[in-house]
């Protein structure tokens, strides 16, 4: 598995997330178990404390009935409870109390616990169990604590063993008389927790390891279709774009990928074909002038000729080189129109004035061929944002085209108006018209309508193609309608307000 | 004097071929337009050989060849175009010879001379 593969990344991410979740869950589990154990122990301690208190209370009350003072009763109680064994030995008349205590002791299962009860007056222990009575109270060595009038739980450590302890004051006749301290070992709880901890310590790595193995297998299965698609796509060489990725999968995502690949291949095939055809066309268009230049040179060099003949040869060569120059310039412009929109500088100007100025230039050209030129301008402004240099090229190409195909004495009219949200310029001629078949091709590169009337006219079949590209850069278009013998109408539509930047991006992406 | 008819719509092409052939003492006729004019030229003049372009506005070279051969199968026709000879042969298989305009004019002269010489031998038989 490679470090940068999606498979590896998925597995790693998945393992980290799973491991993290498992650890978090385990920590939560561990602490909630710990808390519940402590709570349980506290409950038991509380119960024990209550039972002991009620035992002492009942004894003191009984004794108090006979005794004269409370103090006496308490000291008697102290004497009575100071040591169960001593109680048993020295107080034979109180056997029933001792038995009752022992019964309670068994009932509360106190044998494993530490118990310390002391008198608040003289700070002397009145009862201890499993604790050295001289050592002081249970808490003194372990935790800082203040004697409060409430129950108090804490964790203490005696002889390396951890205990859960309760401290509770005993009230007799409204006075705080004794302090009861009971501690239970946490050994069994810790053992239980340790056991759980060990299960988790071994369990988590095992689960994570299993998850990694299963996860990478699943990732492999998920990634497989992508690899298959890639392999399939790789087999399609640049020479054979007719092939398509033929992987069929149930999952939608892979099918989207396959579809995207095939759509891209469709476009690639189309554009490669177009480039191939275009190159052939370019080569063919350039081959004729090159052949003429070569032929002229060869013929001129073969035999001694008159100066006039050499001059003619040079003229012919120059004419062909000019043709070639025009073709290459137009091709460069077309390439720029398609791929370098940055050559355009969009500025706001009045199309009315712009057309008027251009009209003066073309009028001379038209009158030279005895063609009448008419101009119809709107009363209102026709402001537009566009590249004036290239728009002039657009209109000149169309007008030159109209002049070329209009016989002597014909008419060409230009009509500037507004249609919907576009400025509309109609260029109408009374020329020879274009057949329906040719009309669909006139914007194609290198397409030329060749008729006996126009065969001597200059042109390379790129003019209208360039005009259409310029219109598209302005988000506009050129439409052509024609009728054989009655003439042709070219309609140039240019939007008054350019689309926003976002729409612009969408549009260029779609192109 | 042998006469050669050049059928090509490109004036730049016919200009120097006329010069070339005239300097080699051929009588040169030019037709850069439609079928009718060309055919009447073929009918009215005694033409020995035709240089025929393929891509022309009115009539395609292949169709033109058909018309000419129908009228007079004896006329020798060399197809000449900027296409390669292989392409020309594929497009029009029944011409007497083919010439690529980007080749040297000497090759064309050789081809013309050879066809016209064969013609002489044929007529002598």
């Amino acid at each position: 598995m490679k470090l940068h593969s999606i498979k590896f990344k998925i597995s790693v991410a998945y393992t980290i997330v799973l491991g993290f979740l498992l650890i978090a869950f385990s920590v939560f589990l561990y602490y909630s178990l710990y808390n519940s154990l402590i709570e349980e122990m506290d409950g038991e301690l509380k119960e024990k404390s209550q039972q002991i208190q009620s035992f002492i209370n009942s004894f003191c009350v009984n004794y108090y009935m006979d005794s004269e003072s409370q103090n006496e009763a308490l000291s008697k109680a102290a004497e009575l409870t100071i040591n169960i064994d001593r109680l048993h030995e020295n107080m034979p008349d109180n056997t029933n109390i001792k038995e009752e205590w022992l019964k309670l002791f068994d009932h509360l299962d106190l044998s494993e616990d530490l118990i310390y009860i002391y008198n608040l007056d003289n700070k002397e222990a009145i009862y201890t169990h499993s604790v050295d009575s001289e050592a002081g109270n249970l808490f003194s060595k372990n935790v800082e604590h203040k004697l409060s009038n409430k129950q108090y739980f804490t964790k203490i450590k005696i002889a390396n063993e951890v205990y859960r302890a309760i401290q509770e004051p005993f009230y007799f006749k409204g006075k705080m008389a004794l302090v009861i301290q009971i501690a239970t070992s946490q050994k069994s709880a810790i053992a239980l927790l340790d056991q759980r901890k060990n299960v988790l310590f071994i369990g988590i790595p095992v689960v994570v390891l299993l998850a990694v193995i299963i996860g990478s297998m699943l990732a492999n299965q998920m990634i497989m279709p992508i690899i298959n698609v890639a392999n399939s796509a790789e087999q399609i060489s640049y020479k054979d774009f007719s092939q398509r990725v033929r992987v069929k999968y149930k999952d939608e995502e892979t099918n989207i990928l396959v579809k995207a690949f095939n759509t891209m291949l469709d476009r690639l095939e189309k554009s490669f074909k177009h480039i191939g055809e275009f190159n052939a066309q370019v080569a063919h268009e350039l081959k004729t002038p090159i052949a003429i230049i070569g032929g002229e040179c060869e013929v001129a060099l073969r035999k001694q000729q008159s100066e006039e003949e050499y001059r003619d040869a040079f003229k012919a060569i120059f004419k062909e080189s000019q043709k070639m120059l025009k073709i290459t310039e137009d091709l460069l412009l077309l390439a720029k129109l398609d791929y370098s929109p940055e050559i355009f500088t969009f500025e706001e100007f009045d199309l009315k004035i712009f057309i008027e100025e251009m009209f003066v230039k073309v009028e001379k050209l038209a009158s030279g061929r005895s063609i009448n030129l008419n101009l119809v301008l709107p009363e209102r402004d026709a402001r537009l944002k566009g590249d004036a240099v290239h728009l002039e090229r657009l209109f000149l190409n169309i007008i030159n085209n109209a002049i070329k195909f209009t016989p002597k004495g014909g008419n060409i009219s230009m009509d500037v108006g507004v249609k919907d949200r576009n400025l509309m310029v109609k260029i109408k001629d009374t020329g020879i018209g274009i057949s329906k078949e040719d009309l669909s091709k006139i914007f194609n590169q290198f397409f030329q309508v060749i008729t006996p009337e126009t065969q001597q006219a200059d042109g390379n079949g790129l003019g209208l193609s360039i005009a259409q590209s310029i219109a598209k850069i302005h988000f506009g278009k050129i439409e052509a309608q024609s009728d054989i013998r009655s003439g042709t109408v070219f309609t140039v539509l240019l939007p008054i307000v350019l689309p926003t930047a976002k729409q612009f991006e969408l549009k260029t992406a779609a192109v | 004097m042998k006469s050669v008819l050049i059928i090509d719509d490109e004036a730049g092409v016919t200009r120097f071929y006329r010069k070339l052939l005239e300097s080699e003492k051929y009588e040169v006729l030019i037709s850069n337009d439609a079928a009718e004019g060309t055919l009447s030229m073929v009918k009215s003049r005694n033409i020995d050989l035709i240089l025929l372009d393929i891509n022309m506005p009115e009539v395609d070279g292949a169709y033109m060849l058909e018309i000419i051969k129908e009228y007079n199968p004896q006329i020798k026709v060399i197809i000449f175009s900027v296409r390669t000879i292989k392409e020309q042969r594929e497009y029009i298989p029944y011409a007497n010879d083919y010439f690529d305009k980007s080749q040297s004019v000497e090759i064309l002269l050789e081809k013309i001379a050879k066809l016209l010489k064969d013609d002489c031998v044929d007529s002598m038989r």
Side-chain angles (χ1 to χ4, degrees), chain A residues 54-197:
Chain A
S54 77
F55 176 82
I56 296 170
N57 191 56
S58 70
F59 172 79
C60 285
V61 168
N62 282 337
Y63 199 83
Y64 184 67
M65 299 293 236
D66 311 328
S67 180
E68 284 133 40
S69 74
Q70 182 190 335
N71 271 344
E72 207 177 335
L74 274 171
S75 61
K76 273 286 176 198
E79 267 177 49
L80 273 165
T81 54
I82 196 151
N83 191 297
I84 299 298
D85 295 331
R86 221 165 53 195
L87 202 71
H88 176 56
E89 284 161 20
N90 300 343
M91 305 279 177
D93 54 325
N94 286 312
T95 318
N96 62 329
I97 293 170
K98 185 204 131 191
E99 271 168 8
E100 257 178 67
W101 172 252
L102 282 175
K103 221 192 271 171
L104 181 68
F105 194 87
D106 282 344
H107 172 67
L108 294 177
D109 192 20
L110 292 168
S111 59
E112 296 287 319
D113 294 345
L114 311 178
I115 306 167
Y116 196 100
I117 304 169
Y118 70 94
N119 193 328
L120 266 175
D121 280 344
N122 52 18
K123 302 280 188 274
E124 274 179 15
I126 60 163
Y127 176 77
T128 62
H129 173 69
S130 305
V131 184
D132 181 4
S133 59
E134 303 302 315
N137 72 62
L138 277 176
F139 288 7
S140 63
K141 286 179 200 160
N142 294 284
V143 283
E144 288 274 329
H145 82 285
K146 277 180 182 169
L147 188 63
S148 70
N149 54 358
K150 283 181 193 160
Q151 281 174 353
Y152 170 78
F153 293 96
T154 192
K155 187 170 99 174
I156 57 172
K157 211 171 172 186
I158 297 167
N160 285 327
E161 207 179 322
V162 182
Y163 292 86
R164 187 69 188 170
I166 184 173
Q167 171 179 280
E168 201 169 10
F170 170 71
Y171 289 85
F172 185 69
K173 294 278 168 193
K175 190 187 163 207
M176 206 188 280
L178 304 171
V179 175
I180 298 161
Q181 296 177 335
I182 309 164
T184 303
S185 171
Q186 287 192 0
K187 217 194 287 180
S188 61
I190 287 168
L192 185 70
L193 282 172
D194 279 350
Q195 194 200 336
R196 290 284 186 280
K197 207 156 74 182

Side-chain angles (χ1 to χ4, degrees), chain B:
Chain B
M1 197 189 240
K2 299 281 183 187
S3 65
V4 176
L5 170 63
I6 304 175
I7 307 174
D8 196 318
D9 62 305
E10 190 83 43
V13 171
T14 52
R15 198 197 88 85
F16 72 89
Y17 281 121
R18 174 203 283 271
K19 228 171 106 182
L20 172 77
L21 294 173
E22 279 175 354
S23 75
E24 290 300 315
K25 313 292 177 215
Y26 291 106
E27 185 196 354
V28 180
L29 298 160
I30 306 278
S31 164
N32 37 27
D33 88 40
E36 271 173 46
T38 307
L39 200 62
S40 67
M41 216 180 262
V42 173
K43 282 176 184 168
S44 61
R45 312 288 280 265
N46 191 19
I47 290 164
D48 300 297
L49 186 136
I50 295 173
L51 293 177
L52 177 60
D53 188 23
I54 297 174
N55 290 74
M56 284 180 296
E58 274 263 302
V59 183
D60 181 80
Y63 179 58
M64 188 72 99
L65 178 67
E66 235 172 76
I67 297 172
I68 293 163
K69 286 282 179 177
E70 204 172 282
Y71 171 73
N72 183 2
Q74 299 304 312
I75 299 180
K76 306 287 176 186
V77 177
I78 298 177
I79 300 296
F80 83 143
S81 152
V82 286
R83 301 187 195 189
T84 63
I85 288 175
K86 189 170 167 262
E87 281 171 346
Q88 293 180 27
R89 203 186 295 275
E90 275 166 15
Y91 192 67
I92 307 172
Y94 304 113
N96 296 84
D97 209 341
Y98 304 87
F99 176 71
D100 179 347
K101 281 177 186 168
S102 49
Q103 284 177 304
S104 167
V105 293
E106 302 297 342
I107 295 171
L108 181 68
L109 288 176
E110 272 172 37
K111 285 185 173 176
I112 294 170
K114 188 169 175 282
L115 277 175
L116 292 179
K117 198 179 149 201
D118 289 350
D119 203 20
C120 282
V121 174
D122 286 348
S123 57
M124 275 161 84
R125 278 177 192 162

